[in-house]
């Protein structure tokens, strides 16, 4: 499902217009980016939790040459599915 399909599905389920649904999706994206950028986590009970974790530096290999390379440490976004979402998927 792409963004436009998500907006259409949300409009159908909520009874809102597609314009209002698109505004909601954009607002959710911005609020999520801002919170995660500040190191906060976002917990949606029953759905899941978005959080930021630190990935440490490590040594990797270039698959084409086999040469060892250093991979820098960085922050990554992590999503852990909630119980209700997990049960729906499984």
């Amino acid at each position: 499902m792409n963004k436009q399909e998500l907006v259409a599905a949300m409009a159908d389920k909520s009874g809102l217009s597609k314009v209002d649904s698109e505004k909601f999706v954009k607002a959710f994206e911005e609020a999520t980016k801002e919170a995660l950028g500040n190191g906060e986590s976002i917990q949606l009970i029953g759905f899941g939790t978005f959080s930021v974790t630190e990935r440490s530096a490590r040594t990797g290999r270039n698959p084409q040459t086999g040469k060892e390379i250093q991979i820098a440490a960085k922050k990554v976004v992590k999503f852990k599915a909630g119980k209700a979402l997990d049960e729906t998927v499984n």
Side-chain angles (χ1 to χ4, degrees):
M1 175 180 285
N2 64 30
K3 187 175 182 177
Q4 291 304 317
E5 291 168 339
L6 176 62
V7 167
M10 288 177 60
D12 284 345
K13 299 240 183 236
S14 68
L16 297 172
S17 69
K18 284 186 180 181
V19 173
D20 289 338
S21 294
E22 186 169 7
K23 286 179 185 177
F24 173 80
V25 170
K26 286 182 181 180
F28 179 76
E29 287 176 352
E30 290 302 314
T32 303
K33 287 178 191 177
E34 187 177 319
L36 294 174
N38 291 333
E40 300 172 37
S41 65
I42 300 171
Q43 184 177 14
L44 304 172
I45 303 298
F47 183 73
T49 302
F50 295 91
S51 61
V52 177
T53 60
E54 183 77 25
R55 182 176 289 168
S56 60
R58 62 194 191 280
T59 302
R61 291 201 179 270
N62 181 331
Q64 292 179 332
T65 64
K67 182 180 175 184
E68 286 190 354
I69 57 172
Q70 286 302 114
I71 301 171
K74 69 177 190 173
K75 294 179 181 179
V76 293
V77 176
K78 179 179 161 185
F79 177 76
K80 183 173 181 348
K83 185 177 179 182
L85 178 60
D86 199 34
E87 289 174 354
T88 301
V89 173
N90 292 313

